[in-house]
Amino acid sequence: MTRERTAMDILLVNASVKARSKHARLSPPLGLAYIGAVLLGERYSVSAEDCNLTDFNPTRMRRMVEDRAPRIVGISTNTETYPNGLRIAEIVKAVDPRITVVLGGPHATVMHCEVAREPNVDIVVRGEGEYAMRDIADCLVRGRGSIDDIGGITFCKDGEVRVTPDRRFIVEPDELPFPTRELFPLPMYERPATLLMSRGGCPCDCVFCAVNNIWKGRRRFRDPDNVVAEMLFLVHTLGSDEVSFADDTFTLSWKHVTGLCDRLIRLEDSSCRWRCTTRVDMVDRPLLEHMRRAGCVSITFGVESGSQRILDAVAKNITREQVLAAVGAALEVGMEVLCSFMFPHPDDTDETVHEQTTFMKALIAMGATVSLALTTPFPGTPYYQHPSDHGIKILTNRWEEFDAKHLVIETKYLSEARLQSLLGELLRDVGLRSDSLPV
């Protein structure tokens, strides 16, 4: 008995991490959901698959491509999932070499020339993918225009890598439709209701972050009315009892945050619970109180280190006193507080690591929760581009180990063996399990 084939225009695939991960299955991939919404609005037939929900199964992927017979397969990857993204591309081409494979995401954006040379990748999308994928579909499915005229893509032609001019970033994010999360099986996610307040660059220049290398531009904020409309859609239409903002720094614009809070407070049904992430120097007690009245129940602060010497060295531009003040204020107004840390830092010594341990324990004693990620020199960060300038040595070239769980750097003062020892001591003293690292 043969399986029924349902030919469609575009299959969107979120490549999976190497090993099954609760963190990777937390929320549906917003980027693909936005792309899907734009394509559906242009009346393309679209389906999607998040491989993190089922792990990467080559046989299942092959059957999916055979059954859906897409004209284009768009694969989203970050650095950790890039190897599996290439495996998916290989499977697609094995099923039908005429299918166009498009790769996008932060890793592909930064490493676009390298990715474009992969034999099973036809096109790389740099940066925002919504309109680039629409233009690619217009060209390949409906025969409109030429690939050479599409901005923001990289591809090989006649044995040479072609890099088209950068695409203008979306100036008004409110012009985009709400992401089509329904392309994914929402009941399988712990937090299916994620959304963005803004998109784009960041005014901070932390040396471990690649945001500004990827976005290369200012932050663009959505109108608070548009954000509230999406929140209400998530709560009332999808039945979510809590929404999560995916912004790295939610409170970059107090004007937009207070505007959002004002509108939520004025709602007759003000029971919309939400959580967010930000910096300790971008909140104060009145703002936190306002957010709490508007339904914010949980906030995450990126702290990174408990040593002032290290905070200064990584250009975090915050003080330990600011951390204590922000955490204390958030706890006092009734929020859950998570403080995220990194280990190791290039200038770490035994002393600074012990300072970090002590500071993490102090925050726990206050009532906060802490998490730890292992410092990873992602492409696009100064750590990856100029490791010797920062006194670090990158220990592996296996992209799947760039997951914030593996120790992939050695620092100028601490050997790999000593770092492993200190990591074990830190986890033990703070009360974290090694399997709690965020992957």
Side-chain angles (χ1 to χ4, degrees):
M1 180 177 178
T2 59
R3 296 187 302 275
E4 182 180 353
R5 291 168 58 90
T6 306
M8 66 173 39
D9 298 320
I10 300 113
L11 169 62
L12 301 174
V13 182
N14 190 36
S16 66
V17 297
K18 180 181 179 182
R20 194 166 179 82
S21 162
K22 179 179 179 181
H23 182 77
R25 302 192 310 274
L26 201 59
S27 304
L30 268 184
L32 289 183
Y34 266 115
I35 291 171
V38 169
L39 292 171
L40 288 168
E42 297 292 329
R43 301 188 179 280
Y44 286 104
S45 57
V46 182
S47 67
E49 178 75 9
D50 185 356
C51 293
N52 282 305
L53 294 177
T54 56
D55 296 333
F56 175 56
N57 185 317
T59 301
R60 185 174 184 277
M61 179 58 61
R62 184 177 300 105
R63 288 176 178 170
M64 182 186 309
V65 175
E66 290 171 349
D67 292 344
R68 301 185 190 183
R71 298 281 298 276
I72 300 169
V73 173
I75 306 170
S76 178
T77 69
N78 55 38
T79 300
E80 177 189 2
T81 64
Y82 176 61
N84 273 344
L86 293 182
R87 294 184 185 103
I88 293 168
E90 182 180 10
I91 290 169
V92 171
K93 289 296 189 180
V95 171
D96 186 348
R98 297 171 298 177
I99 298 174
T100 299
V101 172
V102 182
L103 235 68
H107 185 91
T109 295
V110 175
M111 309 290 286
H112 59 101
C113 289
E114 173 186 300
V115 177
R117 293 188 184 96
E118 289 291 336
N120 297 306
V121 175
D122 297 301
I123 301 171
V124 177
V125 171
R126 310 190 308 271
E128 292 175 308
E130 291 89 351
Y131 294 147
M133 282 296 291
R134 177 203 61 189
D135 291 351
I136 291 169
D138 283 350
C139 178
L140 299 180
V141 178
R142 293 177 178 165
R144 299 175 182 168
S146 167
I147 285 292
D148 300 83
D149 297 328
I150 298 175
I153 65 172
T154 303
F155 57 94
C156 278
K157 185 175 183 179
D158 300 327
E160 295 183 356
V161 174
R162 306 286 182 91
V163 180
T164 68
D166 289 341
R167 175 178 290 270
R168 182 174 179 239
F169 284 120
I170 297 168
V171 177
E172 297 294 342
D174 293 328
E175 73 186 45
L176 291 170
F178 293 163
T180 310
R181 301 168 182 84
E182 303 91 318
L183 287 168
F184 302 95
L186 297 180
M188 296 185 68
Y189 296 98
E190 181 178 329
R191 296 180 188 166
T194 56
L195 74 163
L196 286 166
M197 178 76 164
S198 60
R199 56 167 59 199
C202 176
C204 306
D205 285 311
C206 302
V207 294
F208 50 79
C209 181
V211 165
N212 288 325
N213 189 301
I214 294 170
W215 288 100
K216 306 182 193 312
R218 65 180 177 86
R219 200 79 187 170
R220 292 147 288 147
F221 295 89
R222 296 173 60 190
D223 186 284
D225 286 326
N226 190 256
V227 178
V228 170
E230 186 173 358
M231 294 176 75
L232 293 178
F233 170 79
L234 292 170
V235 171
H236 297 306
T237 306
L238 298 185
S240 303
D241 58 3
E242 182 178 288
V243 302
S244 302
F245 284 93
D247 305 64
D248 293 329
T249 311
F250 177 74
T251 59
L252 273 177
S253 169
W254 285 19
K255 172 186 173 182
H256 288 85
V257 172
T258 55
L260 173 67
C261 292
D262 289 342
R263 288 159 175 78
L264 290 172
I265 290 170
R266 288 199 299 265
L267 290 175
E268 290 184 9
D269 177 11
S270 58
S271 60
C272 184
R273 294 160 47 92
W274 49 280
R275 60 179 65 228
C276 64
T277 297
T278 191
R279 290 171 55 101
V280 298
D281 57 343
M282 292 187 177
V283 296
D284 64 7
R285 175 64 180 258
L287 180 65
L288 291 168
E289 289 176 344
H290 200 45
M291 291 166 60
R292 183 66 189 92
R293 285 196 300 273
C296 181
V297 295
S298 178
I299 192 165
T300 297
F301 292 117
V303 179
E304 321 315 349
S305 176
S307 164
Q308 191 61 55
R309 189 190 336 164
I310 298 301
L311 290 172
D312 295 341
V314 299
K316 184 68 180 178
N317 293 325
I318 62 172
T319 66
R320 297 184 352 150
E321 289 72 26
Q322 286 176 308
V323 175
L324 295 172
V327 170
L331 290 168
E332 288 168 6
V333 303
M335 295 181 184
E336 296 176 355
V337 178
L338 170 65
C339 296
S340 61
F341 287 82
M342 296 167 57
F343 170 91
H345 297 279
D347 290 282
D348 262 333
T349 63
D350 281 42
E351 179 184 357
T352 63
V353 175
H354 293 146
E355 285 183 77
Q356 177 160 318
T357 301
T358 301
F359 196 63
M360 293 172 77
K361 291 168 67 176
L363 293 171
I364 293 172
M366 291 175 64
T369 303
V370 300
S371 67
L372 185 70
L374 297 192
T375 302
T376 305
F378 291 110
T381 66
Y383 287 174
Y384 180 82
Q385 294 172 316
H386 309 289
S388 60
D389 291 351
H390 298 277
I392 65 174
K393 177 183 177 182
I394 300 176
L395 300 174
T396 181
N397 58 4
R398 293 172 56 83
W399 293 126
E400 58 266 37
E401 294 183 5
F402 282 58
D403 59 3
K405 185 176 182 178
H406 289 82
L407 183 65
V408 294
I409 63 170
E410 188 174 67
T411 63
K412 51 189 166 186
Y413 301 125
L414 299 169
S415 67
E416 180 183 3
R418 183 57 185 152
L419 286 169
Q420 291 285 11
S421 177
L422 287 169
L423 174 62
E425 293 174 16
L426 189 156
L427 293 173
R428 182 197 66 219
D429 293 345
V430 174
L432 295 173
R433 304 186 314 274
S434 60
D435 62 1
S436 68
L437 295 176
V439 293

